[in-house]
Amino acid sequence: MRPVRTAFAGALLGTLVLAGCGQTGANVAPSESPSEPPSSTAAASTGDFPVTVEAGNGKVTLAKKPERIVSLSATHTETLFAVGAGPQVVAVDDQSNYPPEAPKSDLSGFKPNVEAIIAKRPDLVILSNDQDKIVAELAKVNVPVLLEPAATRLDEAYEEIAEIGAATGNKAKADEVVSGMKAAMDKLAADAPKDKKLTYYHELDQTPYAATSKTFIGQVYAMFGLTNIADQAPDAAGGYPKLSAEFVAQADPALIFLADVKCCQQSKETLAKRPGWKNLSAVKNDQVIQLDDDLASRWGPRVVDLAEAIGAAVAKAGGTG
């Protein structure tokens, strides 16, 4: 049985993000567990049913192609539409804002309501965490559930896309999406100027919380040969340390990436107002990059868009550094 992967940015961060930013569709946990190498978990090599996939909640067998899918994860909503399962989706959670045509509802992935979910008459529910033991609650009423926790590595993200494709009868399209993602990410990594030894700081919120190289987002940055200042933080072991303003000022990163733009209106100008930050190299050299909050908090097909934004910033800094 595949181990349940812990989630993207820390339980405390999930609370902060929901209250202060409202940007992510998955709850999050403070640490990450070791992951397995990627493997094909579909029992069938075609879209024929029954199909069995081994997800975070064990082996899930679907007797027939689901036609009424409910997604309680913004990331998995994006994946469903990317692999061609959009027409099968009848409802998505209140944080699923992409693609625009997704049937957004008042369902919550943070506080799932069994009765509200059942009212959608789903034949498959896809989620990224087991809040309030929702998996067991839905099992009591015989609703199939696919638990796909937040990825801790790119290979896990690819694996989940393949599993969602197989479970929804869209395996061929899912394989195509994964192949395209891998090719794009490989090219971005190969084209990156890695000889500049650039340092960076990725801000989750203005507390400020950061992400280390051991996290999913940290591994995306590592593709570009960047050095993460958060790796040296005193409490970095959990992957998402709370930094002090003094720590960031002393580290003086060459690049600052903000993942709290839409939620919290952070920018180079707001950073410059923080004590001791107006003289940071990234601020003075215009190397503060405003990311899309959603792209920076999800691990689905649009991680390529996130990597492209990071790659463009690295290329700019490499050319001027």
Side-chain angles (χ1 to χ4, degrees):
M1 175 176 167
R2 190 176 69 175
V4 174
R5 294 184 293 273
T6 56
F8 200 64
L12 176 59
L13 289 178
T15 303
L16 290 171
V17 166
L18 182 60
C21 302
Q23 69 184 22
T24 171
N27 247 9
V28 286
S31 61
E32 294 176 329
S33 57
S35 55
E36 303 178 6
S39 60
S40 175
T41 56
S45 61
T46 70
D48 296 335
F49 286 79
V51 164
T52 298
V53 297
E54 189 167 357
N57 55 321
K59 291 183 178 180
V60 179
T61 298
L62 295 159
K64 61 181 181 179
K65 181 177 179 178
E67 298 295 344
R68 296 189 61 82
I69 300 171
V70 169
S71 171
L72 298 181
S73 162
T75 293
H76 300 327
T77 296
E78 294 188 12
T79 295
L80 284 163
F81 279 80
V83 303
Q88 300 160 251
V89 178
V90 295
V92 301
D93 73 297
D94 56 2
Q95 297 299 307
S96 289
N97 55 6
Y98 186 89
E101 63 267 27
K104 192 172 183 178
S105 72
D106 58 359
L107 294 176
S108 172
F110 290 101
K111 295 182 179 180
N113 181 296
V114 176
E115 290 75 17
I117 296 170
I118 294 173
K120 303 295 183 181
R121 297 184 291 115
D123 51 12
L124 177 63
V125 174
I126 300 180
L127 39 77
S128 56
N129 60 77
D130 193 13
Q131 284 293 101
D132 300 329
K133 299 182 179 179
I134 187 63
V135 173
E137 292 299 311
L138 289 172
K140 291 179 182 178
V141 290
N142 299 314
V143 174
V145 178
L146 199 64
L147 174 63
E148 297 287 2
T152 62
R153 307 185 316 170
L154 277 169
D155 282 343
E156 288 180 353
Y158 300 147
E159 182 183 354
E160 290 192 356
I161 293 169
E163 289 169 358
I164 290 173
T168 61
N170 296 278
K171 184 178 184 301
K173 179 61 176 177
D175 290 344
E176 179 184 321
V177 169
V178 170
S179 294
M181 290 175 67
K182 288 180 177 179
M185 296 294 271
D186 288 347
K187 186 177 188 305
L188 285 167
D191 292 346
K194 300 182 177 65
D195 59 341
K196 294 294 181 179
K197 307 298 182 184
L198 295 169
T199 57
Y200 80 96
Y201 158 58
H202 174 89
E203 180 168 289
L204 293 169
D205 67 25
Q206 63 270 52
T207 306
Y209 273 95
T212 70
S213 297
K214 293 183 179 180
T215 63
F216 180 88
I217 187 72
Q219 291 175 37
V220 175
Y221 282 109
M223 292 170 44
F224 300 94
L226 300 177
T227 298
N228 191 341
I229 67 165
D231 292 347
Q232 303 303 317
D235 57 348
Y240 300 95
K242 179 179 179 180
L243 306 181
S244 67
E246 294 77 15
F247 179 90
V248 177
Q250 185 174 3
D252 193 19
L255 294 163
I256 294 178
F257 294 88
L258 300 177
D260 50 0
V261 177
K262 290 194 295 186
C263 73
C264 314
Q265 293 77 53
Q266 294 306 292
S267 65
K268 182 180 71 173
E269 289 71 28
T270 63
L271 294 190
K273 295 177 182 178
R274 298 182 189 179
W277 284 35
K278 67 179 180 180
N279 291 320
L280 288 177
S281 296
V283 173
K284 291 193 298 183
N285 298 331
D286 196 25
Q287 299 293 345
V288 176
I289 298 91
Q290 292 177 292
L291 299 174
D292 181 301
D293 298 20
D294 296 331
L295 295 183
S297 63
R298 300 173 187 175
W299 60 97
R302 291 201 296 162
V303 71
V304 174
D305 296 342
L306 172 65
E308 287 176 346
I310 295 171
V314 172
K316 177 185 174 184
T320 59

